Amino acid sequence: MSIASNKALALAYFSAFRDRNEEWWDAHIAPGFIRHDPGLGFAVEGLAGIRKLAEVLHGGFSDIAYPIVHVVAEGDRVLVHLRQVATHSGEYEGTPATDTRTDIEVMDLFRVEGDQLVEHWALMDNLTLLKQIGAVDA
């Protein structure tokens, strides 16, 4: 696939994740997909991992938006710098809902094969998120 196609695929991931679009996941998440994410306490592997991640994030946050800041691509890799903006409307990491609007920086690097995402490295500003919802002192 072209670099433009790889960028489009990586960007489409965020809409599909926000909307919990299982049909898109089935078509574009490789069976052996793995997300490397030091901020999570569980593995995200394959469709089951994506579903669990969506359950955790959507369980804790609503009105999720992913404004894109930058996209850089080379070969089979796409780096997306974005923000995650959401309302803390449910329990997250042991912290009950606060109805606080959160806004954090995220860096996601994807590896693409054909029309599927096969690997994902994620770095989210979890400390700022936890501060915003009152889980840790500022």
Side-chain angles (χ1 to χ4, degrees):
M1 290 183 62
S2 70
I3 288 178
S5 298
N6 289 349
K7 282 183 177 182
L9 180 65
L11 291 173
Y13 167 84
F14 298 102
S15 297
F17 188 83
R18 179 198 63 218
D19 299 339
R20 297 177 94 167
N21 184 336
E22 296 257 349
E23 185 176 312
W24 191 94
W25 295 347
D26 288 342
H28 300 290
I29 300 294
F33 174 87
I34 186 162
R35 174 180 166 133
H36 308 277
D37 190 336
L40 291 177
F42 57 91
V44 176
E45 297 177 354
L47 289 171
I50 292 289
R51 286 184 185 105
K52 181 174 182 177
L53 178 62
E55 180 181 310
V56 168
L57 286 179
H58 286 278
F61 298 92
S62 60
D63 305 319
I64 299 172
Y66 295 110
I68 304 300
V69 180
H70 298 101
V71 181
V72 178
E74 182 177 310
D76 65 351
R77 309 292 166 122
V78 181
L79 177 65
V80 182
H81 172 206
L82 66 143
R83 293 179 13 251
Q84 177 183 284
V85 182
T87 302
H88 179 223
S89 56
E91 184 274 327
Y92 181 74
E93 297 284 322
T95 301
T98 61
D99 291 323
T100 301
R101 194 72 176 151
T102 63
D103 187 341
I104 63 167
E105 299 282 332
V106 180
M107 298 291 277
D108 284 316
L109 176 64
F110 295 94
R111 186 168 63 86
V112 178
E113 283 184 7
D115 66 348
Q116 292 191 316
L117 300 175
V118 294
E119 207 162 5
H120 179 188
W121 292 263
L123 292 174
M124 298 176 64
D125 186 358
N126 291 316
L127 180 58
T128 295
L129 179 65
L130 294 174
K131 286 179 181 179
Q132 289 175 357
I133 65 174
V136 297
D137 292 331

